[in-house]
Amino acid sequence: MLLLRLILLNAFRHRLRAVLTIVGVAVALTAFGLLRTVLDAWHAGVEASSANRLVTRNAVSLTQPLPFAYKGRIRQVTGVDIVAAGGWFGGVYLDEKNFFPNFAVEADDFFKLYPELIVSPEEQKAFLSDRKAAIIGRKLAERFHWRIGDTVTLRGTIYPGQWPMTIRAIYKGARPDTDETVLYFHYGYLDETMKKRAPTRAGQVGFFMIGIRDATRAAEISKDIDALFHNSQAETLTETERAFQLGFVAMSEAILLAITAVSYVVIAIILAVAANTMAMSARERLGEFAVLKTLGFGAPALAGMLLAESLLLALAGTALAMAVLPPLAKGFAVGLAQYFPIFFVSPTTIMLQAAFGLAVGVLAAAVPAWRVAAVRIADAFRRIG
């Protein structure tokens, strides 16, 4: 008990320096946690992918369409369970500042593929029975204060014109990483309208979402699907939903590498600051350590005391960072909802914070503790003198 009291008193002997060290560790680990959360938000689509879903798109580019007629042939491939056509609509609500993702999909089959989109049976029935209906995510409804029955008009950018639709359902995500900021409407509404406005663009889709029974056969089924359209005017590229999402993430690889590097640089800086604090503390108390050695304290005991002081300061900063990060991330999530629809602190990030806090505490004390343990009593007194 006396030893613990001695460690506590020595750790806070210079209160301002101790408090600044704790705050420094907390700020650094909070910054690290936020950067990690940004990376997680970037990969949210990948993590939410299902192993039982494939995506078939044009082999040339995602921007090139595929004939809707491909659906019947894909459906006949052995192992394929469900096929739903869809496409990026790219509509704008009022102006570009109100960006949110919106897709035209074959609703009935599409929602069988996405059981994580939870909607009440009544609202689902109302949505499926109305050709001009839309279903939106909970966060999107909260953002624009939309309710069931409201009419929303999107201005088409890829498909010119005004596109009014009625909100018939609001879905919730079954998991924290489910995107609740998307608007879906019927592909039939899009296709029928295009037949009137631009007949040459009718009968085309952006992609096919495919449900398969056995995830272990994903590669084989993908190969079989692409073989159907080999040497055709619109060859296909079929891949797992995870690979499809990773393709989007890879476009920002340089940015992600930079964020990762900065997050680790932050840890390195705070390690240097904490190490300097412990080195100053050890140097200032060299005479005291010499006295303790004279009284019979061994080198391991003195090194252990210095290590305990370092851990005390580092873990206090770590605890503060772990307490501050979730509410801070929640605030960021509200402010950045337009760019990061999924933004929450993962358990992995919390564990990394704790691990790095512990590592900073140990490493910062390593060199000062070794010096205190190694210095001879006479040398210590001579240096003080």
Side-chain angles (χ1 to χ4, degrees), residues 277-342:
T277 299
M278 296 315 300
M280 288 174 63
S281 177
R283 190 167 54 248
E284 290 170 357
R285 292 155 50 200
L286 203 55
E288 293 179 21
F289 287 121
V291 171
L292 289 173
K293 277 192 172 183
T294 305
L295 293 176
F297 282 82
L302 298 180
M305 285 174 59
L306 207 57
L307 177 63
E309 292 170 24
S310 177
L311 281 173
L312 181 62
L313 296 177
L315 294 182
T318 304
L320 183 59
M322 292 168 72
V324 166
L325 181 60
L328 193 60
K330 194 172 182 180
F332 271 76
V334 173
L336 301 175
Q338 183 176 347
Y339 308 101
F340 296 113
I342 301 167

Side-chain angles (χ1 to χ4, degrees), residues 80-98:
V80 170
D81 193 24
I82 304 173
V83 182
W88 171 258
F89 180 66
V92 175
Y93 176 64
L94 298 180
D95 60 52
E96 282 73 8
K97 290 188 298 183
N98 299 320

Side-chain angles (χ1 to χ4, degrees), residues 35 39 252-265:
L35 291 172
L39 292 174
S252 309
E253 190 173 3
I255 298 174
L256 298 180
L257 285 175
I259 294 174
T260 304
V262 170
S263 67
Y264 288 110
V265 167

Side-chain angles (χ1 to χ4, degrees), residues 44-259:
V46 177
E47 298 304 320
S49 302
S50 167
N52 288 83
R53 292 196 290 253
L54 304 179
V55 182
T56 296
R57 63 177 177 86
N58 194 302
V60 175
S61 167
L62 186 60
T63 60
Q64 299 298 312
L66 291 172
F68 178 78
Y70 280 11
K71 178 181 177 180
R73 297 178 65 183
I74 295 173
R75 184 68 184 84
Q76 292 174 0
V77 173
T78 303
V80 170
D81 193 24
I82 304 173
V83 182
W88 171 258
F89 180 66
V92 175
Y93 176 64
L94 298 180
D95 60 52
E96 282 73 8
K97 290 188 298 183
N98 299 320
F99 171 82
F100 57 83
N102 42 82
F103 294 88
V105 296
E106 282 191 296
D108 198 5
D109 288 333
F110 185 82
F111 285 98
K112 290 177 184 173
L113 283 166
Y114 285 86
E116 62 264 37
L117 306 182
I118 299 175
V119 60
S120 70
E122 295 78 15
E123 291 183 6
Q124 187 173 28
K125 183 178 179 182
F127 170 65
L128 294 176
S129 60
D130 184 350
R131 203 66 161 173
K132 292 188 176 181
I135 179 172
I136 60 175
R138 178 183 59 84
K139 291 182 181 177
L140 186 62
E142 292 175 355
R143 178 183 171 189
F144 293 106
H145 307 290
W146 287 339
R147 297 180 178 178
I148 301 291
D150 287 353
T151 297
V152 175
T153 300
L154 299 182
R155 173 168 54 83
T157 54
I158 302 173
Y159 304 93
Q162 299 295 316
W163 297 80
M165 50 194 78
T166 306
I167 297 173
R168 295 297 184 194
I170 298 176
Y171 72 85
K172 296 180 180 177
R175 304 184 322 202
D177 57 358
T178 303
D179 191 352
E180 296 179 330
T181 65
V182 184
L183 180 149
Y184 299 101
F185 67 97
H186 293 282
Y187 168 75
Y189 175 37
L190 172 66
D191 194 52
E192 290 169 8
T193 306
M194 293 308 294
K195 284 178 182 176
K196 299 174 186 175
R197 296 180 183 176
T200 57
R201 298 185 62 187
Q204 298 179 341
V205 301
F207 54 78
F208 292 100
M209 292 300 305
I210 300 166
I212 58 176
R213 303 184 193 97
D214 185 358
T216 62
R217 296 189 59 230
E220 179 186 348
I221 295 172
S222 298
K223 188 176 178 182
D224 290 344
I225 292 172
D226 292 339
L228 289 175
F229 311 106
H230 185 58
N231 285 332
S232 68
Q233 290 186 340
E235 293 189 356
T236 61
L237 173 63
T238 303
E239 54 195 348
T240 62
E241 186 184 26
R242 183 180 181 82
F244 180 72
Q245 296 287 355
L246 279 172
F248 286 100
V249 174
M251 296 178 189
S252 309
E253 190 173 3
I255 298 174
L256 298 180
L257 285 175
I259 294 174

